[in-house]
Amino acid sequence: MTLEHLTYCDQIVRQSAELRSHLAGADLSAPVPTCPEWTLRQLARHVGGAHRWSTEIVRTKATEPFPPDQVPGAAGPDSDDPAALDAWLAEGAENCAKVLREAGTDVPVWSWTGPTTSAFWARRMTHETLVHRADAAGALGAAFTAPADVAADAIDEWLDVLSFARAFRSSSGELGEPGQSLHLHATDVPDAEWFIEIGDEGFTWRRAHEKATAVVRGPLTDVLRVLYRRLPTDSPAVEVLGERGVLDTWLAKTAF
């Protein structure tokens, strides 16, 4: 079950504000370990650019690929002034949320997954911002938390994206052997559990508690970070049971 459209719009602003709070006073030239070759400044520019790109897709009702280099202001401020970067991030998030609120859920638009509606971009930008905030928090050694409903939906959305991403329609067998399965179990949120089963022609998933080949147990936000490859599977924050190699293969093959 997805969240309400307006909740996504609000979360784009909220998650951006929390990202900005991580960056406030930080050395923006510091590396981001979970995004190799990026600094915190580059991470911020990526997020702000993504907000502006999705805004233009929805605002113009684009039904064909929209070149990112045609998005006004998407590259970020001309200077490296932290205050200018902060203001640019805030503006991009606010404008993105504003355009999505005005559009509602049913405007037909393009996405890299194929034809969709404006609702796709509200959800995608929420979780794009959330996960990159996790990158920033990890780089700075800061705590990463998120509302339970948002974190759970981030897992749902990622599995949705993977299930119809073209790259996995033709090579889904590489995710593991048919019959292998994963169980994600959040220990701090009732009913926050996922069962992923690999088949001959891809994989299926559902919210369920079922016996699996490999299991990841831990707090919801840590399970989320493992799934997104933002937290090592040997982190003491989570427990991995069963065949760890099945989990490792899945994570390696779902990185893009």
Side-chain angles (χ1 to χ4, degrees):
M1 180 181 296
T2 60
L3 307 179
E4 294 292 331
H5 182 69
L6 293 180
T7 298
Y8 289 125
C9 297
D10 292 344
Q11 282 296 322
I12 292 169
V13 176
R14 174 176 172 176
Q15 295 302 324
S16 181
E18 294 196 26
L19 170 61
R20 290 164 48 220
S21 73
H22 290 317
L23 300 178
D27 176 5
L28 298 182
S29 66
V32 181
T34 49
C35 293
E37 301 182 5
W38 277 6
T39 64
L40 286 171
R41 180 177 287 107
Q42 289 169 314
L43 178 109
R45 287 178 181 266
H46 170 82
V47 172
H51 288 163
R52 285 165 171 78
W53 182 54
S54 58
T55 298
E56 286 302 292
I57 290 170
V58 175
R59 185 185 67 79
T60 63
K61 301 179 181 177
T63 55
E64 297 181 353
F66 196 104
D69 59 4
Q70 293 184 15
V71 178
D78 292 334
S79 75
D80 288 338
D81 177 21
L85 183 64
D86 180 73
W88 177 80
L89 270 174
E91 179 185 56
E94 290 285 356
N95 285 344
C96 183
K98 179 176 182 291
V99 167
L100 286 165
R101 289 188 190 105
E102 292 173 349
T105 60
D106 299 326
V107 173
V109 293
W110 170 87
S111 81
W112 43 264
T113 65
T116 186
T117 67
S118 46
F120 169 90
W121 286 109
R123 193 185 194 197
R124 181 81 288 275
M125 285 302 101
T126 292
H127 300 315
E128 175 81 1
T129 312
L130 173 73
V131 172
H132 284 315
R133 182 169 72 79
D135 289 322
L140 295 166
F144 173 71
T145 61
D149 58 346
V150 176
D153 188 66
I155 293 177
D156 286 352
E157 194 247 7
W158 183 238
L159 293 173
D160 282 345
V161 166
L162 293 177
S163 68
F164 55 63
R166 206 168 283 152
F168 300 107
R169 287 179 180 168
S170 60
S171 61
S172 55
E174 296 181 5
L175 296 173
E177 297 296 328
Q180 291 178 336
S181 55
L182 297 171
H183 177 211
L184 310 178
H185 185 168
T187 55
D188 58 340
V189 177
D191 300 321
E193 300 187 60
W194 293 260
F195 181 77
I196 304 164
E197 187 170 19
I198 299 168
D200 292 322
E201 299 182 358
F203 72 95
T204 59
W205 71 272
R206 54 187 175 271
R207 288 280 195 102
H209 178 93
E210 298 185 32
K211 186 176 180 180
T213 314
V215 180
V216 183
R217 287 172 47 89
L220 176 57
T221 52
D222 294 325
V223 172
L224 166 66
R225 289 194 293 161
V226 167
L227 187 66
Y228 271 87
R229 303 175 74 247
R230 263 59 185 188
L231 185 70
T233 57
D234 60 358
S235 167
V238 296
E239 181 181 19
V240 178
L241 305 172
E243 298 181 25
R244 181 182 291 270
V246 173
L247 173 63
D248 291 340
T249 297
W250 170 275
L251 294 176
K253 297 298 183 179
T254 56
F256 70 91

